[in-house]
Amino acid sequence: MSGILSGKNILVTGLLTEKSIAFHVARLAQREGARVVLTAYGRRSLVELIAKRLPEPAPLVDLDVCDQEQLDSLADRVAEHLGPDPALDGVVHSIAYAPQDALGGNFLNTAWSSVATSVEISAFSLKSLTVAVAGLLERRGGAVVGMDSDARQAWPYYDWMGVSKAALEATSRYLARELGGRGIRCNLVAAGPIRSTAAKSIPGFQALAEASTARAPLGWDLEDPEPAARAVVALLSDWFPRTTGEIVHVDGGTHMAGA
């Protein structure tokens, strides 16, 4: 199969439903010629069910990014699905979580334990995941792409997830600096709001989405994850061979529009 990811091996995390950006990344990556390996946390049977809706079968490995034993064994478990000369050409980090008391306008009252959980899973895990498979990525030079949202501004209801996304952006830059010498690129795609399973857990999501989409000069469809997924696939490809530490905004232009 020909395509911009032809012959590449891509690890995709965070696939949970057909509405998730991760699902569309996996779908488009396969369409563009990649071999895709998926990870699952907790709801393995659900991920297996959703994965059957991809164009091609995709093997599945378990991954809890807070479990060091699983991280330590991740490269070996992924390599089992990559053929006799295993290498990864790309990793998609689509992992984020904040406890309910860290969202919804509770910023001043959130306990550190909840903040720490949000930062560890949503930001530190980018480092954890990347380091876990760096040995596979450096064999041919590879790309790490993380899912972001615009963290330069304070958004209503987003609270400590917004802070965690700011930490994710800094983490991506430092990874880009540290791993560039090993041929590994690290970039983020800052997507506009998508009405996904994760979005449903954010109190006030509709108001947040309306505030964002109202400013988008190109418009923005809350039901369409594909524009963001296309950007991820492009960054995974060889069309961005010297781009690293970058944040690509895919939000209809909301990030640059003052009003």
Side-chain angles (χ1 to χ4, degrees):
M1 183 183 296
S2 61
I4 63 172
L5 297 183
S6 182
K8 293 189 180 297
N9 298 322
I10 307 296
L11 179 67
V12 179
T13 68
L15 186 151
L16 189 58
T17 74
E18 282 186 276
K19 291 186 176 181
S20 66
I21 294 174
F23 175 85
H24 289 271
V25 170
R27 177 180 62 81
L28 291 172
Q30 288 184 338
R31 193 183 75 181
E32 292 298 323
R35 174 191 289 166
V36 171
V37 179
L38 304 173
T39 71
Y41 169 65
R43 305 177 187 178
R44 184 184 177 96
S45 60
L46 176 58
V47 178
E48 289 175 339
L49 178 64
I50 299 301
K52 290 179 180 178
R53 300 173 188 175
L54 292 171
E56 303 289 340
L60 190 63
V61 297
D62 292 311
L63 177 62
D64 177 350
V65 289
C66 297
D67 185 326
Q68 193 59 48
E69 289 187 6
Q70 286 196 17
L71 288 165
D72 289 343
S73 66
L74 181 62
D76 289 338
R77 291 185 288 120
V78 170
E80 293 176 1
H81 302 287
L82 301 181
D85 185 23
L88 269 178
D89 302 286
V91 174
V92 179
H93 178 277
S94 185
I95 300 169
Y97 171 76
Q100 283 297 295
D101 66 326
L103 297 163
N106 195 47
F107 185 85
L108 296 179
N109 301 311
T110 306
W112 164 245
S113 58
S114 294
V115 174
T117 297
S118 179
V119 172
E120 180 180 15
I121 296 175
S122 307
F124 185 75
S125 66
L126 178 64
K127 190 280 296 186
S128 302
L129 174 62
T130 302
V131 169
V133 295
L136 295 175
L137 283 167
E138 66 183 350
R139 293 184 182 182
R140 294 196 293 239
V144 178
V145 183
M147 296 312 307
D148 188 22
S149 58
D150 191 357
R152 298 172 307 161
Q153 304 175 66
W155 293 92
Y157 308 108
Y158 211 42
D159 295 356
W160 287 100
M161 180 56 79
V163 175
S164 298
K165 290 296 187 181
L168 176 75
E169 294 178 359
T171 301
S172 179
R173 288 189 290 269
Y174 276 90
L175 282 171
R177 181 182 183 278
E178 294 293 328
L179 296 176
R182 295 165 67 177
I184 299 172
R185 316 186 304 276
C186 191
N187 296 289
L188 300 176
V189 170
I194 297 294
R195 205 187 307 277
S196 63
T197 299
K200 292 178 181 178
S201 69
I202 302 173
F205 170 78
Q206 187 59 37
L208 175 62
E210 290 172 357
S212 176
T213 56
R215 290 164 43 201
L218 289 176
W220 184 253
D221 186 350
L222 296 172
E223 309 295 339
D224 186 10
E226 185 159 327
R230 284 175 174 262
V232 174
V233 169
L235 287 168
L236 291 169
S237 78
D238 294 333
W239 286 98
F240 288 85
R242 292 292 179 267
T243 298
T244 196
E246 187 58 85
I247 302 171
V248 177
H249 291 83
V250 184
D251 59 2
T254 295
H255 70 284
M256 62 82 188

Short mmCIF file of all heavy atoms in Angstrom, two decimals, residues 94-158:
data_model
loop_
_atom_site.label_atom_id
_atom_site.label_comp_id
_atom_site.label_asym_id
_atom_site.label_seq_id
_atom_site.Cartn_x
_atom_site.Cartn_y
_atom_site.Cartn_z
N SER A 94 -2.01 10.25 23.00
CA SER A 94 -3.35 10.81 23.10
C SER A 94 -3.93 10.41 24.45
O SER A 94 -4.94 9.72 24.54
CB SER A 94 -4.22 10.30 21.95
OG SER A 94 -5.49 10.92 21.96
N ILE A 95 -3.26 10.86 25.50
CA ILE A 95 -3.56 10.46 26.87
C ILE A 95 -3.74 11.71 27.73
O ILE A 95 -2.84 12.56 27.78
CB ILE A 95 -2.43 9.59 27.45
CG1 ILE A 95 -2.22 8.32 26.60
CG2 ILE A 95 -2.70 9.23 28.91
CD1 ILE A 95 -0.96 7.56 26.95
N ALA A 96 -4.85 11.82 28.40
CA ALA A 96 -5.07 12.93 29.33
C ALA A 96 -6.17 12.55 30.31
O ALA A 96 -7.11 11.84 29.96
CB ALA A 96 -5.46 14.20 28.58
N TYR A 97 -6.03 13.04 31.52
CA TYR A 97 -7.06 12.79 32.54
C TYR A 97 -6.88 13.78 33.67
O TYR A 97 -5.76 14.11 34.08
CB TYR A 97 -6.94 11.36 33.10
CG TYR A 97 -7.83 11.14 34.31
CD1 TYR A 97 -9.20 10.97 34.17
CD2 TYR A 97 -7.29 11.14 35.60
CE1 TYR A 97 -10.02 10.78 35.27
CE2 TYR A 97 -8.09 10.95 36.71
CZ TYR A 97 -9.46 10.78 36.55
OH TYR A 97 -10.27 10.62 37.65
N ALA A 98 -8.00 14.28 34.19
CA ALA A 98 -8.00 15.09 35.40
C ALA A 98 -9.19 14.66 36.25
O ALA A 98 -10.29 14.47 35.73
CB ALA A 98 -8.12 16.58 35.07
N PRO A 99 -8.99 14.50 37.56
CA PRO A 99 -10.12 14.20 38.44
C PRO A 99 -11.17 15.31 38.37
O PRO A 99 -10.87 16.44 38.00
CB PRO A 99 -9.46 14.14 39.83
CG PRO A 99 -8.03 13.83 39.57
CD PRO A 99 -7.69 14.52 38.28
N GLN A 100 -12.40 14.96 38.70
CA GLN A 100 -13.49 15.90 38.56
C GLN A 100 -13.29 17.18 39.37
O GLN A 100 -13.72 18.25 38.94
CB GLN A 100 -14.81 15.23 38.96
CG GLN A 100 -15.35 14.28 37.90
CD GLN A 100 -15.70 15.00 36.60
OE1 GLN A 100 -16.60 15.84 36.57
NE2 GLN A 100 -14.97 14.69 35.54
N ASP A 101 -12.62 17.08 40.51
CA ASP A 101 -12.44 18.29 41.31
C ASP A 101 -11.35 19.20 40.77
O ASP A 101 -11.12 20.29 41.29
CB ASP A 101 -12.15 17.93 42.77
CG ASP A 101 -10.82 17.23 42.97
OD1 ASP A 101 -10.41 16.47 42.07
OD2 ASP A 101 -10.18 17.45 44.02
N ALA A 102 -10.68 18.78 39.68
CA ALA A 102 -9.67 19.62 39.03
C ALA A 102 -10.24 20.36 37.82
O ALA A 102 -9.52 21.06 37.12
CB ALA A 102 -8.48 18.75 38.60
N LEU A 103 -11.54 20.21 37.60
CA LEU A 103 -12.21 20.80 36.44
C LEU A 103 -13.48 21.53 36.88
O LEU A 103 -13.91 21.42 38.03
CB LEU A 103 -12.61 19.69 35.45
CG LEU A 103 -11.49 18.87 34.83
CD1 LEU A 103 -12.06 17.59 34.24
CD2 LEU A 103 -10.76 19.68 33.77
N GLY A 104 -14.06 22.28 35.96
CA GLY A 104 -15.40 22.80 36.17
C GLY A 104 -15.50 24.05 37.01
O GLY A 104 -16.57 24.34 37.56
N GLY A 105 -14.43 24.82 37.14
CA GLY A 105 -14.48 26.06 37.91
C GLY A 105 -14.06 25.93 39.35
O GLY A 105 -14.32 26.82 40.16
N ASN A 106 -13.37 24.84 39.66
CA ASN A 106 -12.93 24.58 41.04
C ASN A 106 -11.44 24.87 41.23
O ASN A 106 -10.82 24.35 42.15
CB ASN A 106 -13.23 23.12 41.40
CG ASN A 106 -13.15 22.86 42.89
OD1 ASN A 106 -13.70 23.61 43.69
ND2 ASN A 106 -12.46 21.79 43.27
N PHE A 107 -10.88 25.70 40.36
CA PHE A 107 -9.42 25.88 40.31
C PHE A 107 -8.81 26.22 41.67
O PHE A 107 -7.79 25.66 42.07
CB PHE A 107 -9.08 26.99 39.31
CG PHE A 107 -7.60 27.18 39.10
CD1 PHE A 107 -6.91 26.39 38.19
CD2 PHE A 107 -6.90 28.14 39.82
CE1 PHE A 107 -5.55 26.56 38.00
CE2 PHE A 107 -5.54 28.31 39.63
CZ PHE A 107 -4.86 27.52 38.72
N LEU A 108 -9.43 27.13 42.41
CA LEU A 108 -8.84 27.61 43.66
C LEU A 108 -8.95 26.59 44.79
O LEU A 108 -8.25 26.72 45.81
CB LEU A 108 -9.51 28.91 44.09
CG LEU A 108 -9.32 30.10 43.15
CD1 LEU A 108 -10.06 31.31 43.69
CD2 LEU A 108 -7.84 30.42 42.96
N ASN A 109 -9.78 25.58 44.63
CA ASN A 109 -10.02 24.64 45.72
C ASN A 109 -9.52 23.22 45.45
O ASN A 109 -9.71 22.34 46.27
CB ASN A 109 -11.54 24.57 46.00
CG ASN A 109 -12.11 25.92 46.38
OD1 ASN A 109 -11.56 26.60 47.25
ND2 ASN A 109 -13.19 26.31 45.73
N THR A 110 -8.88 23.01 44.31
CA THR A 110 -8.43 21.67 43.95
C THR A 110 -7.25 21.24 44.82
O THR A 110 -6.29 21.98 45.00
CB THR A 110 -8.01 21.60 42.47
OG1 THR A 110 -9.09 22.08 41.67
CG2 THR A 110 -7.66 20.18 42.07
N ALA A 111 -7.33 20.03 45.36
CA ALA A 111 -6.26 19.49 46.19
C ALA A 111 -5.07 19.10 45.34
O ALA A 111 -5.20 18.73 44.17
CB ALA A 111 -6.77 18.26 46.95
N TRP A 112 -3.88 19.18 45.95
CA TRP A 112 -2.66 18.84 45.22
C TRP A 112 -2.70 17.42 44.68
O TRP A 112 -2.21 17.15 43.58
CB TRP A 112 -1.43 19.02 46.10
CG TRP A 112 -0.21 18.35 45.54
CD1 TRP A 112 0.49 17.30 46.06
CD2 TRP A 112 0.42 18.65 44.28
NE1 TRP A 112 1.52 16.94 45.22
CE2 TRP A 112 1.50 17.75 44.13
CE3 TRP A 112 0.17 19.59 43.28
CZ2 TRP A 112 2.34 17.76 43.01
CZ3 TRP A 112 1.01 19.61 42.16
CH2 TRP A 112 2.08 18.71 42.04
N SER A 113 -3.29 16.50 45.41
CA SER A 113 -3.33 15.12 44.95
C SER A 113 -4.02 15.02 43.59
O SER A 113 -3.58 14.25 42.71
CB SER A 113 -4.04 14.23 45.96
OG SER A 113 -5.36 14.69 46.21
N SER A 114 -5.07 15.79 43.38
CA SER A 114 -5.77 15.77 42.10
C SER A 114 -4.96 16.49 41.02
O SER A 114 -4.92 16.06 39.86
CB SER A 114 -7.15 16.43 42.23
OG SER A 114 -7.98 15.66 43.07
N VAL A 115 -4.32 17.59 41.41
CA VAL A 115 -3.44 18.28 40.45
C VAL A 115 -2.31 17.36 40.02
O VAL A 115 -1.98 17.26 38.83
CB VAL A 115 -2.87 19.56 41.09
CG1 VAL A 115 -1.84 20.21 40.16
CG2 VAL A 115 -3.99 20.55 41.40
N ALA A 116 -1.71 16.67 40.98
CA ALA A 116 -0.60 15.77 40.66
C ALA A 116 -1.03 14.66 39.71
O ALA A 116 -0.31 14.30 38.78
CB ALA A 116 -0.03 15.17 41.96
N THR A 117 -2.22 14.12 39.94
CA THR A 117 -2.75 13.09 39.04
C THR A 117 -2.90 13.62 37.63
O THR A 117 -2.52 12.97 36.64
CB THR A 117 -4.10 12.57 39.55
OG1 THR A 117 -3.91 11.95 40.82
CG2 THR A 117 -4.71 11.57 38.58
N SER A 118 -3.47 14.82 37.51
CA SER A 118 -3.68 15.43 36.21
C SER A 118 -2.36 15.65 35.47
O SER A 118 -2.23 15.32 34.29
CB SER A 118 -4.42 16.75 36.35
OG SER A 118 -4.61 17.38 35.10
N VAL A 119 -1.37 16.18 36.17
CA VAL A 119 -0.08 16.48 35.54
C VAL A 119 0.65 15.19 35.18
O VAL A 119 1.24 15.08 34.10
CB VAL A 119 0.77 17.37 36.47
CG1 VAL A 119 2.19 17.52 35.92
CG2 VAL A 119 0.13 18.74 36.63
N GLU A 120 0.61 14.20 36.05
CA GLU A 120 1.31 12.95 35.77
C GLU A 120 0.75 12.25 34.54
O GLU A 120 1.51 11.83 33.65
CB GLU A 120 1.24 12.00 36.97
CG GLU A 120 1.96 10.68 36.71
CD GLU A 120 1.90 9.72 37.88
OE1 GLU A 120 1.08 9.92 38.80
OE2 GLU A 120 2.69 8.76 37.88
N ILE A 121 -0.56 12.14 34.47
CA ILE A 121 -1.17 11.39 33.37
C ILE A 121 -1.18 12.22 32.08
O ILE A 121 -0.95 11.68 30.99
CB ILE A 121 -2.59 10.96 33.74
CG1 ILE A 121 -2.54 9.99 34.93
CG2 ILE A 121 -3.29 10.30 32.56
CD1 ILE A 121 -3.90 9.57 35.45
N SER A 122 -1.41 13.51 32.18
CA SER A 122 -1.61 14.33 30.99
C SER A 122 -0.32 14.91 30.43
O SER A 122 -0.28 15.25 29.23
CB SER A 122 -2.58 15.48 31.30
OG SER A 122 -3.77 14.99 31.86
N ALA A 123 0.72 15.04 31.24
CA ALA A 123 1.96 15.69 30.78
C ALA A 123 3.19 14.81 30.97
O ALA A 123 3.91 14.51 30.01
CB ALA A 123 2.15 17.02 31.51
N PHE A 124 3.43 14.37 32.19
CA PHE A 124 4.62 13.56 32.47
C PHE A 124 4.60 12.26 31.67
O PHE A 124 5.65 11.74 31.28
CB PHE A 124 4.71 13.25 33.96
CG PHE A 124 5.96 12.53 34.36
CD1 PHE A 124 7.17 13.19 34.45
CD2 PHE A 124 5.94 11.17 34.66
CE1 PHE A 124 8.33 12.53 34.82
CE2 PHE A 124 7.09 10.50 35.02
CZ PHE A 124 8.29 11.18 35.10
N SER A 125 3.40 11.77 31.36
CA SER A 125 3.30 10.51 30.61
C SER A 125 3.87 10.64 29.20
O SER A 125 4.26 9.63 28.59
CB SER A 125 1.84 10.05 30.54
OG SER A 125 1.06 10.94 29.77
N LEU A 126 3.93 11.85 28.66
CA LEU A 126 4.57 12.02 27.35
C LEU A 126 6.04 11.64 27.44
O LEU A 126 6.57 10.95 26.56
CB LEU A 126 4.42 13.47 26.87
CG LEU A 126 5.09 13.79 25.53
CD1 LEU A 126 4.44 13.00 24.39
CD2 LEU A 126 5.04 15.29 25.24
N LYS A 127 6.69 12.06 28.51
CA LYS A 127 8.08 11.67 28.73
C LYS A 127 8.19 10.18 29.00
O LYS A 127 9.04 9.48 28.41
CB LYS A 127 8.67 12.47 29.89
CG LYS A 127 10.19 12.33 30.07
CD LYS A 127 10.66 11.09 30.78
CE LYS A 127 10.19 11.01 32.22
NZ LYS A 127 10.84 9.80 32.90
N SER A 128 7.31 9.65 29.85
CA SER A 128 7.36 8.24 30.21
C SER A 128 7.21 7.35 28.99
O SER A 128 7.96 6.39 28.78
CB SER A 128 6.26 7.91 31.23
OG SER A 128 6.38 8.70 32.39
N LEU A 129 6.21 7.66 28.16
CA LEU A 129 5.95 6.86 26.97
C LEU A 129 7.10 6.96 25.98
O LEU A 129 7.56 5.95 25.42
CB LEU A 129 4.65 7.35 26.31
CG LEU A 129 4.28 6.74 24.96
CD1 LEU A 129 4.06 5.24 25.08
CD2 LEU A 129 3.03 7.42 24.40
N THR A 130 7.58 8.17 25.75
CA THR A 130 8.65 8.37 24.77
C THR A 130 9.92 7.65 25.18
O THR A 130 10.56 6.97 24.37
CB THR A 130 8.92 9.87 24.58
OG1 THR A 130 7.71 10.51 24.15
CG2 THR A 130 10.01 10.10 23.55
N VAL A 131 10.30 7.79 26.44
CA VAL A 131 11.51 7.13 26.93
C VAL A 131 11.37 5.61 26.85
O VAL A 131 12.31 4.89 26.52
CB VAL A 131 11.83 7.58 28.37
CG1 VAL A 131 12.92 6.72 28.99
CG2 VAL A 131 12.25 9.04 28.37
N ALA A 132 10.16 5.11 27.12
CA ALA A 132 9.93 3.66 27.11
C ALA A 132 10.21 3.04 25.75
O ALA A 132 10.66 1.89 25.66
CB ALA A 132 8.50 3.35 27.56
N VAL A 133 9.94 3.78 24.68
CA VAL A 133 10.11 3.21 23.33
C VAL A 133 11.20 3.93 22.52
O VAL A 133 11.31 3.73 21.32
CB VAL A 133 8.78 3.23 22.55
CG1 VAL A 133 7.76 2.31 23.21
CG2 VAL A 133 8.23 4.64 22.42
N ALA A 134 12.00 4.74 23.20
CA ALA A 134 13.03 5.51 22.49
C ALA A 134 14.00 4.61 21.74
O ALA A 134 14.48 4.96 20.65
CB ALA A 134 13.78 6.41 23.46
N GLY A 135 14.30 3.44 22.31
CA GLY A 135 15.22 2.52 21.64
C GLY A 135 14.69 2.05 20.30
O GLY A 135 15.46 1.85 19.35
N LEU A 136 13.37 1.88 20.19
CA LEU A 136 12.75 1.49 18.93
C LEU A 136 12.67 2.67 17.96
O LEU A 136 12.81 2.51 16.75
CB LEU A 136 11.35 0.93 19.16
CG LEU A 136 11.25 -0.39 19.94
CD1 LEU A 136 9.78 -0.73 20.19
CD2 LEU A 136 11.94 -1.52 19.20
N LEU A 137 12.46 3.87 18.51
CA LEU A 137 12.32 5.06 17.67
C LEU A 137 13.63 5.47 17.02
O LEU A 137 13.66 5.94 15.88
CB LEU A 137 11.77 6.22 18.49
CG LEU A 137 10.28 6.22 18.81
CD1 LEU A 137 9.96 7.25 19.89
CD2 LEU A 137 9.46 6.50 17.55
N GLU A 138 14.73 5.31 17.74
CA GLU A 138 16.00 5.82 17.22
C GLU A 138 16.62 4.90 16.15
O GLU A 138 17.58 5.29 15.49
CB GLU A 138 17.00 6.02 18.36
CG GLU A 138 17.45 4.76 19.04
CD GLU A 138 18.39 5.04 20.21
OE1 GLU A 138 18.83 6.21 20.36
OE2 GLU A 138 18.68 4.12 20.97
N ARG A 139 16.07 3.73 15.96
CA ARG A 139 16.66 2.81 14.98
C ARG A 139 16.59 3.35 13.56
O ARG A 139 17.50 3.14 12.77
CB ARG A 139 15.98 1.44 15.07
CG ARG A 139 16.27 0.74 16.39
CD ARG A 139 15.69 -0.65 16.46
NE ARG A 139 15.97 -1.26 17.76
CZ ARG A 139 15.62 -2.48 18.11
NH1 ARG A 139 14.99 -3.26 17.23
NH2 ARG A 139 15.89 -2.94 19.31
N ARG A 140 15.50 4.04 13.22
CA ARG A 140 15.38 4.64 11.89
C ARG A 140 15.13 6.14 11.97
O ARG A 140 14.99 6.81 10.94
CB ARG A 140 14.24 3.98 11.10
CG ARG A 140 14.47 2.53 10.77
CD ARG A 140 13.55 2.02 9.68
NE ARG A 140 12.15 1.94 10.04
CZ ARG A 140 11.45 0.80 10.02
NH1 ARG A 140 12.04 -0.34 9.71
NH2 ARG A 140 10.17 0.81 10.32
N GLY A 141 15.09 6.67 13.20
CA GLY A 141 14.66 8.05 13.38
C GLY A 141 13.14 8.07 13.38
O GLY A 141 12.52 7.48 12.49
N GLY A 142 12.53 8.67 14.37
CA GLY A 142 11.09 8.59 14.49
C GLY A 142 10.47 9.88 14.98
O GLY A 142 11.16 10.83 15.36
N ALA A 143 9.14 9.89 14.99
CA ALA A 143 8.39 11.08 15.38
C ALA A 143 7.44 10.74 16.51
O ALA A 143 6.73 9.74 16.47
CB ALA A 143 7.60 11.63 14.20
N VAL A 144 7.42 11.59 17.52
CA VAL A 144 6.43 11.53 18.59
C VAL A 144 5.47 12.70 18.38
O VAL A 144 5.91 13.85 18.21
CB VAL A 144 7.09 11.63 19.97
CG1 VAL A 144 6.04 11.62 21.07
CG2 VAL A 144 8.09 10.51 20.17
N VAL A 145 4.17 12.42 18.38
CA VAL A 145 3.18 13.48 18.23
C VAL A 145 2.18 13.35 19.37
O VAL A 145 1.57 12.30 19.57
CB VAL A 145 2.44 13.40 16.88
CG1 VAL A 145 1.48 14.58 16.75
CG2 VAL A 145 3.43 13.40 15.72
N GLY A 146 2.01 14.43 20.13
CA GLY A 146 1.08 14.44 21.24
C GLY A 146 -0.12 15.31 20.94
O GLY A 146 -0.05 16.27 20.17
N MET A 147 -1.25 14.97 21.56
CA MET A 147 -2.48 15.74 21.39
C MET A 147 -2.56 16.82 22.47
O MET A 147 -2.47 16.53 23.66
CB MET A 147 -3.70 14.83 21.47
CG MET A 147 -3.79 13.81 20.35
SD MET A 147 -3.52 14.48 18.70
CE MET A 147 -4.72 15.82 18.66
N ASP A 148 -2.75 18.04 22.02
CA ASP A 148 -2.71 19.21 22.89
C ASP A 148 -3.99 20.02 22.70
O ASP A 148 -4.80 19.74 21.81
CB ASP A 148 -1.48 20.05 22.50
CG ASP A 148 -1.20 21.20 23.44
OD1 ASP A 148 -1.65 21.15 24.60
OD2 ASP A 148 -0.52 22.16 23.02
N SER A 149 -4.21 20.98 23.56
CA SER A 149 -5.18 22.05 23.32
C SER A 149 -4.49 23.35 23.70
O SER A 149 -3.51 23.33 24.45
CB SER A 149 -6.45 21.84 24.15
OG SER A 149 -6.15 21.78 25.52
N ASP A 150 -4.94 24.46 23.18
CA ASP A 150 -4.23 25.73 23.35
C ASP A 150 -4.10 26.09 24.82
O ASP A 150 -5.08 26.40 25.50
CB ASP A 150 -5.00 26.82 22.60
CG ASP A 150 -4.20 28.11 22.48
OD1 ASP A 150 -3.08 28.16 23.03
OD2 ASP A 150 -4.69 29.06 21.86
N ALA A 151 -2.86 26.04 25.32
CA ALA A 151 -2.61 26.27 26.75
C ALA A 151 -2.05 27.66 27.02
O ALA A 151 -1.63 27.95 28.14
CB ALA A 151 -1.66 25.21 27.28
N ARG A 152 -2.04 28.52 26.02
CA ARG A 152 -1.50 29.87 26.23
C ARG A 152 -2.47 30.77 26.97
O ARG A 152 -2.09 31.80 27.51
CB ARG A 152 -1.16 30.50 24.88
CG ARG A 152 -0.10 29.76 24.09
CD ARG A 152 0.01 30.35 22.70
NE ARG A 152 -1.29 30.39 22.05
CZ ARG A 152 -1.57 31.18 20.99
NH1 ARG A 152 -0.64 31.97 20.52
NH2 ARG A 152 -2.78 31.15 20.45
N GLN A 153 -3.75 30.37 26.98
CA GLN A 153 -4.78 31.19 27.60
C GLN A 153 -5.50 30.40 28.69
O GLN A 153 -5.49 29.17 28.68
CB GLN A 153 -5.80 31.63 26.55
CG GLN A 153 -5.17 32.38 25.38
CD GLN A 153 -6.18 32.70 24.31
OE1 GLN A 153 -7.11 33.49 24.53
NE2 GLN A 153 -6.03 32.10 23.14
N ALA A 154 -6.12 31.11 29.61
CA ALA A 154 -6.91 30.47 30.66
C ALA A 154 -8.34 30.35 30.16
O ALA A 154 -9.00 31.35 29.89
CB ALA A 154 -6.86 31.30 31.94
N TRP A 155 -8.83 29.11 30.06
CA TRP A 155 -10.15 28.85 29.54
C TRP A 155 -11.13 28.56 30.68
O TRP A 155 -10.75 27.98 31.69
CB TRP A 155 -10.12 27.63 28.60
CG TRP A 155 -9.35 27.86 27.35
CD1 TRP A 155 -8.03 27.60 27.14
CD2 TRP A 155 -9.84 28.43 26.14
NE1 TRP A 155 -7.66 27.95 25.87
CE2 TRP A 155 -8.77 28.46 25.23
CE3 TRP A 155 -11.10 28.90 25.73
CZ2 TRP A 155 -8.91 28.95 23.94
CZ3 TRP A 155 -11.23 29.39 24.44
CH2 TRP A 155 -10.14 29.41 23.56
N PRO A 156 -12.39 28.94 30.52
CA PRO A 156 -13.37 28.61 31.56
C PRO A 156 -13.53 27.10 31.69
O PRO A 156 -13.50 26.38 30.68
CB PRO A 156 -14.66 29.27 31.06
CG PRO A 156 -14.47 29.43 29.59
CD PRO A 156 -13.01 29.66 29.39
N TYR A 157 -13.67 26.65 32.92
CA TYR A 157 -13.96 25.24 33.26
C TYR A 157 -12.78 24.28 33.08
O TYR A 157 -12.81 23.19 33.63
CB TYR A 157 -15.16 24.70 32.44
CG TYR A 157 -16.38 25.56 32.52
CD1 TYR A 157 -16.79 26.31 31.43
CD2 TYR A 157 -17.13 25.65 33.70
CE1 TYR A 157 -17.91 27.13 31.49
CE2 TYR A 157 -18.25 26.45 33.77
CZ TYR A 157 -18.64 27.20 32.67
OH TYR A 157 -19.75 28.01 32.74
N TYR A 158 -11.77 24.66 32.30
CA TYR A 158 -10.69 23.73 31.98
C TYR A 158 -9.69 23.60 33.14
O TYR A 158 -9.04 22.58 33.29
CB TYR A 158 -9.98 24.19 30.70
CG TYR A 158 -9.42 23.07 29.88
CD1 TYR A 158 -10.13 21.90 29.66
CD2 TYR A 158 -8.18 23.20 29.26
CE1 TYR A 158 -9.63 20.88 28.87
CE2 TYR A 158 -7.66 22.19 28.48
CZ TYR A 158 -8.39 21.04 28.28
OH TYR A 158 -7.88 20.03 27.50
#
